[in-house]
């Protein structure tokens, strides 16, 4: 069972890493699980083990628990990071958070007011000249027309604390290594801190993960058995490395240092003078991007370009960072408190596959994809991975679907990740257009650095290399002097005009992408493509903001409108709220017409045969109110799991028009609010046979 435990992370000693890694891959593939195997209850085996207690792992554990699936989470760190990291939560992620009791309300209550973070500011210093600013919040973003909830600006570590509180309410315990002695601690509903996955072994019955921890100064290894292993353990995923999955894409786009600091005086200054989310600062002494995580609390992260080995992390001592902050701010505030300093590398990569080992080992979040931070795609794409995965894992564990169902996660999420990688790259390049316009092309800077490392500069002693690098960069920054960058100077005037054009045309770094955030579509997987669907060239991301257009095509997110589930009720809910948050349940949306009621009855029969939960929602539009007082009871008897839904009058088109369908159509919605199947204007054939075909295909139960 444990003969693969010699496989360790790079900081564990072993011989011939390449040969060992290849052997591990061959061994796991050879011992892959049967794809048609349905899990059996075994008290000694966890249904699901999640590696990584970041937002993706925690959200996944919440969604699984709400669906009745027990799980445990391993986290290699002994404590949760207080480094803010990600901070933008897009529309779709906020919609997912609506499924987690009270989470959206907590975020909205705790985040800064939108007027404090809607802008990106470009300047020579925080107290100097403003080169331009871009407002990234449009009126429709706050009107809840295309989504029941707006985007948010909320630091990752604060989100983590709220997720932990949710898990605590669900019965989870967070355990330190010292409190996790004995196998009983490896039961479900535990978050085991200070536990690192050091090896993975598989057989036909379960996966064995060896977890290493330090207990009272001694290294302890214990085995945890599980049916499904999910690696949500970040960009340097140990799970991904153990199973031998490579990343594809662009590596080492940029090296940076992230400086987390507090300054209430700076926060108050910006609140009064020029509030914003991001401040791009370019002057003769320094260049950096300041992320204002919360101006009211004075919490910031400064991102600085980093050029090792000429520069080392030791160069960024707290005192050095304070001086750097003063150069970029343009004045000293006296209360700067540097909390944390971290180097990091920007990549744009996607794992070559998300699922392996008989569909029993799965990657999610940064373990599966690494993006530039431009546009906030990293955490948001990971949260949406978790949402896609949760109902599928629950379906397999509950015996509703075979393990082959889990392969649809790869089929659906990997193309989205590839597209988001391209989009984040385009957005990153848009961000770089601003310094390039000012005469500071980052590509040139990186080329100069490579020449010093690998070219003629490599013959110089390290000290002279550092001096050469600093000198070249100082010459470049001289172009940012007031004598150059002003309207009286022809060169400066030309550059400032080009800069204004970039801002006005939306060609700089963008914050929101509604068409991509809400309009992404799964083209294959747990869906029934339409016969009219044709293969087309993938859409090329432009890096520009585009508006979302609602669509009811299979694979799309269910369009949002406000409805009333009970005509006597004054409460309005979103169409998304028709989908259950605590069970694997499909929703069939129909209009109150005879043929659709017949389809619904046949769908109920097929769902019952397959032990699948199904709810029928009958949409009574504003022009079909006749008979609503009687409702659908008689038409759907003896089935009781239905709801009469009354459209709320609005300026938008009615439901079926918005979906580009007639009221004789029908829509089948998955538990993750994506459309699995539809008929646009009724069925020509046998509805029972069609429902058999639909559920067989979606659940991979051929």
């Amino acid at each position: 069972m444990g003969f693969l435990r010699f496989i360790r992370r790079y900081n564990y000693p072993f011989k011939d890493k390449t040969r060992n890694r290849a052997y591990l891959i061959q061994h796991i593939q050879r011992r892959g699980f049967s794809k048609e195997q349905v899990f059996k209850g075994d008290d000694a085996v966890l249904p699901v083990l999640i590696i990584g207690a970041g937002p993706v792992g925690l959200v996944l554990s919440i969604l699984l628990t709400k669906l009745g699936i027990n799980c445990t989470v391993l986290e290699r760190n002994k404590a949760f990071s207080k480094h803010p990291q990600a901070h933008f939560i897009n529309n779709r992620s906020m919609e997912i958070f609506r499924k987690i009791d009270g989470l959206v309300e907590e975020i909205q209550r705790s985040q800064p007011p939108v007027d404090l973070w809607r802008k990106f500011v470009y300047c020579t210093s925080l107290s100097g000249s403003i080169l331009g600013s871009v407002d990234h919040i449009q009126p429709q973003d706050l009107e809840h027309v295309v989504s029941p909830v707006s985007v948010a600006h909320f630091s990752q570590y604060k989100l983590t604390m709220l997720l932990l509180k949710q898990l605590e309410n669900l019965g989870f315990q967070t355990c330190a290594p010292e409190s996790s002695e004995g196998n009983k601690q490896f039961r479900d509903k535990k978050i085991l801190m200070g536990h690192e996955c050091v090896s993975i072994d598989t057989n036909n019955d379960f996966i064995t993960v060896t977890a290493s921890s330090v207990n009272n100064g001694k290294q302890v290894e214990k085995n945890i058995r599980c049916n499904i292993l999910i690696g949500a353990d970040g960009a340097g995923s140990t799970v991904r490395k153990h199973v031998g999955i490579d990343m594809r894409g662009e590596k080492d786009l940029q090296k940076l240092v992230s400086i987390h600091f507090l300054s209430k005086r700076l926060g108050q200054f910006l609140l009064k003078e020029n509030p914003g989310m991001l401040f791009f600062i370019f002057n003769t002494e320094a260049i950096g991007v300041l992320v204002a995580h919360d101006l009211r609390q004075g919490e910031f992260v400064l991102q600085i370009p980093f050029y090792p080995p000429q520069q080392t992390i030791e160069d960024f001592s707290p005192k050095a960072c304070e001086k750097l902050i003063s150069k970029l701010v343009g004045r000293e505030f006296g209360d700067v408190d540097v909390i944390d300093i971290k180097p990091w590398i920007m990549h744009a990569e996607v794992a070559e596959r998300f699922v392996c080992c008989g569909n029993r080992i799965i990657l999610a979040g940064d373990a599966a994809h690494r993006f530039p931070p431009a546009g906030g795609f990293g955490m948001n794409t990971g949260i949406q991975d978790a949402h896609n995965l949760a109902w599928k894992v629950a379906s397999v564990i509950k015996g509703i679907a075979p393990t082959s169902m889990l392969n649809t996660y790869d089929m659906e999420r990997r193309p989205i990740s590839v597209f988001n990688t391209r989009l984040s790259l385009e957005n990153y390049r848009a961000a770089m257009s601003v310094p390039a316009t000012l005469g500071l092309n980052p590509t040139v800077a990186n080329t100069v650095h490579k020449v010093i490392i690998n070219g003629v500069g490599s013959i110089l002693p390290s000290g002279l290399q550092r001096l050469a690098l600093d000198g070249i960069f100082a010459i470049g920054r001289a172009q940012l002097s007031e004598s150059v960058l002003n309207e009286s100077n022809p060169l400066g005037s030309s550059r400032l005009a080009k800069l204004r054009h970039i801002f006005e045309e939306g060609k700089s770094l963008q914050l929101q992408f509604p068409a991509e955030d809400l309009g992404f579509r799964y083209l294959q997987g747990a869906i029934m493509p339409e016969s009219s669907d044709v293969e087309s060239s993938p859409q090329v991301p432009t890096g520009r903001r585009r508006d979302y257009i609602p669509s009811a095509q299979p694979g799309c997110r269910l369009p949002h409108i406000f409805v009333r589930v009970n005509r006597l009720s004054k409460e309005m809910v979103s169409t998304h709220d028709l989908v259950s948050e605590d069970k694997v349940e499909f929703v069939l949306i129909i209009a109150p017409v005879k043929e659709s009621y017949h389809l619904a009855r046949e769908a109920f029969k097929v769902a019952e045969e397959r032990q699948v939960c199904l709810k029928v929602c009958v949409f009574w539009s504003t022009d079909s109110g006749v008979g609503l007082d009687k409702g659908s009871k008689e038409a759907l008897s003896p089935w009781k799991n239905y709801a009469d839904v009354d459209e709320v009058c609005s300026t938008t088109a009615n439901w079926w028009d918005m979906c580009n369908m007639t009221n004789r159509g029908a829509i089948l919605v998955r538990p993750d609010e994506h459309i699995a199947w539809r008929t646009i204007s009724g069925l020509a054939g046998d509805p029972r046979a069609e429902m058999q075909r639909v559920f067989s295909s979606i659940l991979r139960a051929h």
Side-chain angles (χ1 to χ4, degrees):
M1 186 73 65
F3 68 96
L4 286 176
R5 288 178 205 152
F6 62 89
I7 301 295
R8 295 292 186 264
R9 291 185 76 253
Y10 61 87
N11 55 338
Y12 281 78
F14 54 82
K15 300 178 181 179
D16 196 354
K17 297 182 183 181
T18 305
R19 186 171 63 85
N20 287 346
R21 179 173 172 273
Y23 175 75
L24 172 66
I25 299 167
Q26 292 169 6
H27 172 78
I28 290 178
Q29 289 175 342
R30 191 164 58 244
R31 295 178 65 177
F33 293 92
S34 166
K35 291 187 178 180
E36 304 309 315
Q37 181 179 354
V38 175
F39 298 110
K40 298 177 181 178
D42 184 342
D43 291 339
V45 181
L46 286 169
V48 179
L49 179 64
I50 300 169
I51 310 294
V56 175
L58 296 180
V59 167
L60 181 57
S61 61
I62 291 170
L63 296 177
L64 286 172
T65 302
K66 289 174 72 67
L67 291 173
I69 303 301
N70 293 331
C71 58
T72 278
V73 183
L74 295 188
E75 170 56 46
R76 63 177 297 183
N77 295 305
K78 292 185 177 180
F80 289 99
S81 172
K82 290 294 181 73
H83 202 92
Q85 296 172 284
H87 56 95
F88 179 66
I89 308 175
N90 70 18
N91 262 138
R92 187 61 186 135
S93 295
M94 288 293 281
E95 289 178 351
I96 294 167
F97 287 167
R98 292 178 76 247
K99 299 293 183 181
I100 300 176
D101 306 322
L103 180 58
V104 162
E105 291 76 11
E106 285 271 13
I107 291 171
Q108 291 173 333
R109 188 162 46 247
S110 303
Q111 73 168 346
V114 67
D115 284 343
L116 302 186
W117 53 268
R118 61 192 301 155
K119 291 193 302 182
F120 290 177
V121 178
Y122 299 81
C123 56
T124 57
S125 76
L126 296 185
S127 53
S129 301
I130 302 297
L131 302 173
S133 66
V134 180
D135 188 340
H136 291 282
I137 302 295
Q138 297 182 7
Q140 64 266 31
D141 297 333
L142 307 174
E143 293 171 354
H144 298 169
V145 173
V146 298
S147 174
V149 65
S150 301
V151 299
H153 173 45
F154 195 63
S155 300
Q156 181 174 317
Y157 79 93
K158 295 178 182 178
L159 174 62
T160 297
M161 294 303 107
L162 293 184
L163 295 173
L164 289 170
K165 191 165 94 173
Q166 290 283 337
L167 285 166
E168 185 180 330
N169 293 338
L170 291 171
F172 272 72
Q173 293 180 339
T174 302
C175 305
E178 294 77 13
S179 63
S180 60
E181 288 189 35
N183 287 328
K184 290 183 180 179
Q185 293 294 332
F186 289 114
R187 298 308 304 140
D188 50 63
K189 293 193 174 182
K190 296 287 190 297
I191 302 172
L192 302 175
M193 304 299 293
H195 286 74
E196 183 176 10
C197 167
V198 294
S199 74
I200 299 170
D201 188 16
T202 71
N203 62 33
N204 289 332
D205 298 318
F206 48 77
I207 299 166
T208 300
V209 170
T210 301
S212 174
S213 62
V214 177
N215 190 345
N216 296 322
K218 290 179 59 179
Q219 185 170 309
V220 178
E221 288 190 358
K222 290 189 178 180
N223 293 333
I224 309 172
R225 298 192 298 176
C226 62
N227 284 321
I228 294 176
L229 173 65
I230 299 170
D233 49 340
S237 171
T238 57
V239 173
R240 187 184 68 235
K241 291 172 184 175
H242 286 321
V243 298
I245 294 178
D246 291 328
M247 302 292 282
R248 303 292 184 208
E250 297 187 36
K251 296 179 184 290
D252 298 347
L253 290 169
Q254 180 78 58
K255 294 181 175 68
L256 300 108
V257 170
S258 179
I259 304 166
H260 177 206
F261 71 95
L262 302 176
S263 173
K264 286 197 172 182
R265 292 177 186 173
L266 175 57
Q268 291 302 312
F269 171 77
L270 289 173
L271 279 172
K272 181 181 177 181
E273 297 294 329
N274 201 7
M277 176 192 282
L278 298 183
F279 297 83
F280 298 83
I281 309 168
F282 309 95
N283 63 45
T284 56
E285 294 190 89
I287 295 171
V289 180
L290 185 71
V291 184
H293 281 265
D294 195 324
L295 290 176
R296 299 170 305 175
Q297 297 176 1
E299 184 170 28
F300 301 90
V301 169
L302 179 62
Q303 304 285 4
I304 297 290
F306 181 42
Y307 296 95
Q310 288 74 29
Q311 294 178 336
T312 67
I313 195 61
E314 286 73 25
D315 295 330
F316 294 87
S317 65
K319 283 293 182 186
C321 289
E322 288 176 21
K323 290 181 180 179
L324 198 53
I325 291 165
S326 295
K327 291 176 181 178
L328 292 167
V329 171
R331 57 186 286 188
E332 293 190 13
F333 283 99
D335 69 336
V336 172
D337 182 13
V338 176
I339 306 297
D340 195 16
I341 304 161
K342 286 185 175 180
W344 63 282
I345 303 174
M346 187 187 300
H347 304 285
E349 297 179 299
V350 177
E352 58 187 3
R353 59 188 187 279
F354 288 8
V355 178
C356 68
C357 306
N359 303 319
R360 307 292 284 272
I361 298 179
I362 303 166
L363 301 179
D366 286 356
H369 40 72
R370 307 191 289 200
F371 305 143
F377 290 99
M379 182 178 73
N380 288 297
T381 304
I383 288 165
Q384 291 150 34
D385 289 344
H387 192 226
N388 180 285
L389 186 56
W391 75 273
K392 296 176 180 179
V393 169
S395 297
V396 172
I397 296 291
K398 290 174 180 287
I400 297 170
T403 57
S404 56
M405 172 71 164
L406 297 176
N407 195 47
T408 67
Y409 166 72
D410 182 285
M411 296 167 68
E412 293 176 355
R413 292 304 302 168
R414 192 173 182 281
I416 299 300
S417 298
V418 170
F419 182 87
N420 285 352
T421 303
R422 293 172 182 160
L423 184 55
S424 62
L425 268 174
E426 288 300 318
N427 204 24
Y428 168 69
R429 288 170 182 145
M432 294 302 99
S433 69
V434 172
T437 300
L438 295 173
L440 300 170
N441 192 323
T443 304
V444 174
N446 290 333
T447 301
V448 168
H449 184 226
K450 288 177 182 176
V451 168
I452 291 176
I453 295 174
N454 303 315
V456 293
S458 61
I459 63 174
L460 298 174
S462 58
L464 288 178
Q465 288 184 24
R466 171 67 182 267
L467 287 172
L469 188 70
D470 290 346
I472 292 169
F473 287 171
I475 293 170
R477 291 196 303 271
Q479 300 177 83
L480 302 170
S481 67
E482 290 184 7
S483 61
V484 175
L485 208 58
N486 67 77
E487 295 292 352
S488 301
N489 184 305
L491 177 61
S493 177
S494 172
R495 287 177 174 176
L496 291 172
K498 288 178 182 177
L499 208 56
R500 285 192 294 272
H501 178 75
I502 287 172
F503 297 146
E504 290 166 2
E505 295 294 315
K507 295 180 179 179
S508 60
L509 178 71
Q510 298 298 299
L511 177 65
Q512 291 203 74
F513 295 87
E516 290 77 16
D517 292 345
L518 299 175
F520 64 86
R521 182 187 178 196
Y522 303 136
L523 297 178
Q524 59 177 340
I527 62 168
M528 285 291 292
E530 295 179 328
S531 57
S532 59
D533 285 347
V534 294
E535 289 293 327
S536 59
S537 300
Q539 190 174 23
V540 178
T542 63
R544 310 269 190 94
R545 172 175 171 142
R546 296 185 300 118
D547 288 334
Y548 161 72
I549 300 173
S551 172
Q553 292 177 293
C556 289
R557 152 195 171 274
L558 179 70
H560 152 78
I561 64 167
F562 284 113
V563 296
R564 290 190 181 94
V565 176
N566 182 336
R567 198 175 198 187
L568 299 177
S569 171
K570 294 183 179 180
E571 181 185 6
M572 294 191 303
V573 300
S574 169
T575 43
H576 294 184
D577 298 321
L578 303 176
V579 181
S580 175
E581 63 189 42
D582 55 11
K583 57 184 170 182
V584 179
E585 181 180 70
F586 289 80
V587 174
L588 181 65
I589 298 175
I590 62 170
V593 297
K594 181 179 178 181
E595 295 84 357
S596 297
Y597 279 130
H598 179 47
L599 170 67
R601 290 192 298 270
E602 295 304 315
F604 271 131
K605 293 173 186 176
V606 172
E608 186 176 60
E609 290 169 1
R610 295 183 174 276
Q611 299 182 327
V612 176
C613 289
L614 175 69
K615 178 168 69 176
V616 171
C617 291
V618 185
F619 268 51
W620 298 76
S621 62
T622 52
D623 55 0
S624 65
V626 178
L628 181 56
D629 54 339
K630 187 175 181 181
S632 304
K633 182 176 181 180
E634 182 178 332
L636 293 175
S637 179
W639 312 102
K640 296 181 179 180
N641 193 24
Y642 67 89
D644 285 306
V645 177
D646 190 10
E647 287 186 34
V648 176
C649 294
S650 68
T651 56
T652 58
N654 72 29
W655 170 255
W656 299 107
D657 288 342
M658 184 176 69
C659 294
N660 290 315
M661 298 169 61
T662 73
N663 68 351
R664 295 185 179 278
I667 299 171
L668 184 67
V669 186
R670 308 188 322 188
D672 63 351
E673 299 155 16
H674 278 256
I675 294 168
W677 166 90
R678 74 168 177 176
T679 176
I680 295 175
S681 57
L683 287 177
D686 177 17
R688 184 178 178 84
E690 177 66 5
M691 288 295 97
Q692 289 277 16
R693 187 176 73 91
V694 167
F695 279 107
S696 291
S697 180
I698 293 168
L699 298 173
R700 289 300 192 260
H702 300 296

